[in-house]
Amino acid sequence: MRGAERLICEAKGRTSEKGIDADIAYGQLLRRMTSQDSRIRYALIVPSSSVKAVERVPVQVRALLRIDVYEVTDENGVRPLPA
Protein backbone atom coordinates (compact mmCIF):
# COMPACT_ATOMS: atom_id res chain seq x y z
CA MET A 1 0.00 0.00 0.00
CA ARG A 2 1.05 3.54 -0.67
CA GLY A 3 -1.16 6.02 1.11
CA ALA A 4 -4.70 5.16 0.09
CA GLU A 5 -3.56 3.21 -3.00
CA ARG A 6 -3.28 -0.56 -3.13
CA LEU A 7 -1.63 -2.71 -5.81
CA ILE A 8 -2.61 -6.39 -6.12
CA CYS A 9 -0.18 -8.38 -8.28
CA GLU A 10 0.30 -11.73 -9.93
CA ALA A 11 3.93 -12.52 -10.69
CA LYS A 12 5.16 -15.18 -13.10
CA GLY A 13 8.65 -16.53 -13.66
CA ARG A 14 10.46 -17.64 -16.78
CA THR A 15 8.79 -20.57 -18.50
CA SER A 16 8.62 -22.46 -21.77
CA GLU A 17 4.81 -22.08 -21.94
CA LYS A 18 4.59 -18.30 -22.12
CA GLY A 19 1.14 -18.07 -23.72
CA ILE A 20 -0.52 -20.56 -21.40
CA ASP A 21 1.15 -19.05 -18.35
CA ALA A 22 0.04 -15.54 -19.38
CA ASP A 23 -3.55 -16.77 -19.70
CA ILE A 24 -3.35 -18.45 -16.30
CA ALA A 25 -1.87 -15.29 -14.75
CA TYR A 26 -4.74 -13.18 -16.09
CA GLY A 27 -7.24 -15.70 -14.73
CA GLN A 28 -5.62 -15.73 -11.32
CA LEU A 29 -5.58 -11.94 -11.22
CA LEU A 30 -9.21 -11.68 -12.35
CA ARG A 31 -10.27 -13.92 -9.47
CA ARG A 32 -8.65 -11.45 -7.06
CA MET A 33 -10.73 -8.57 -8.43
CA THR A 34 -13.32 -8.59 -5.67
CA SER A 35 -13.47 -4.87 -4.92
CA GLN A 36 -14.85 -1.96 -6.90
CA ASP A 37 -12.67 0.48 -4.96
CA SER A 38 -11.04 2.80 -7.53
CA ARG A 39 -7.96 3.13 -5.30
CA ILE A 40 -7.07 -0.49 -6.04
CA ARG A 41 -5.02 -1.33 -9.13
CA TYR A 42 -4.00 -4.73 -10.38
CA ALA A 43 -0.80 -5.81 -12.08
CA LEU A 44 0.87 -8.69 -13.82
CA ILE A 45 4.61 -8.94 -13.33
CA VAL A 46 6.37 -10.99 -15.99
CA PRO A 47 9.86 -11.58 -17.36
CA SER A 48 10.85 -9.96 -20.67
CA SER A 49 10.40 -13.30 -22.42
CA SER A 50 6.65 -13.28 -21.59
CA VAL A 51 5.81 -9.69 -22.55
CA LYS A 52 4.45 -10.56 -26.02
CA ALA A 53 2.12 -13.18 -24.54
CA VAL A 54 0.79 -10.76 -21.92
CA GLU A 55 0.28 -8.05 -24.55
CA ARG A 56 -2.22 -10.27 -26.40
CA VAL A 57 -4.81 -8.66 -24.13
CA PRO A 58 -5.30 -5.22 -25.72
CA VAL A 59 -4.22 -2.08 -23.86
CA GLN A 60 -7.82 -0.80 -23.89
CA VAL A 61 -9.08 -3.93 -22.10
CA ARG A 62 -6.30 -3.78 -19.51
CA ALA A 63 -7.12 -0.10 -18.90
CA LEU A 64 -10.81 -0.86 -18.36
CA LEU A 65 -9.88 -3.54 -15.84
CA ARG A 66 -7.23 -1.37 -14.16
CA ILE A 67 -4.51 -3.95 -14.94
CA ASP A 68 -0.95 -2.72 -15.31
CA VAL A 69 1.88 -4.89 -16.61
CA TYR A 70 5.43 -4.75 -15.28
CA GLU A 71 8.37 -6.32 -17.07
CA VAL A 72 11.30 -7.82 -15.18
CA THR A 73 14.33 -7.58 -17.46
CA ASP A 74 17.13 -10.12 -17.72
CA GLU A 75 19.19 -7.71 -15.59
CA ASN A 76 16.44 -7.82 -12.89
CA GLY A 77 15.28 -4.28 -13.57
CA VAL A 78 11.55 -3.62 -13.37
CA ARG A 79 9.71 -1.31 -15.72
CA PRO A 80 6.04 -0.69 -16.49
CA LEU A 81 4.80 -1.45 -19.98
CA PRO A 82 3.15 1.46 -21.78
CA ALA A 83 -0.54 1.76 -20.94
Side-chain angles (χ1 to χ4, degrees):
M1 289 185 78
R2 183 177 64 186
E5 297 175 324
R6 183 173 179 199
L7 183 64
I8 298 174
C9 304
E10 179 66 32
K12 291 296 174 193
R14 290 173 179 85
T15 177
S16 62
E17 298 294 333
K18 295 163 191 61
I20 292 170
D21 287 341
D23 293 344
I24 290 170
Y26 274 115
Q28 291 171 326
L29 191 58
L30 289 171
R31 283 194 296 278
R32 290 190 181 96
M33 295 176 137
T34 58
S35 174
Q36 295 181 13
D37 188 335
S38 63
R39 295 171 297 175
I40 296 176
R41 295 221 31 110
Y42 301 90
L44 290 180
I45 303 169
V46 298
S48 297
S49 60
S50 296
V51 167
K52 283 187 180 185
V54 171
E55 287 180 326
R56 293 182 309 181
V57 173
V59 171
Q60 305 90 310
V61 173
R62 294 194 317 252
L64 285 170
L65 294 172
R66 299 187 326 262
I67 296 176
D68 299 316
V69 177
Y70 293 89
E71 173 187 6
V72 178
T73 67
D74 293 335
E75 296 78 29
N76 293 320
V78 178
R79 62 179 170 217
L81 295 185

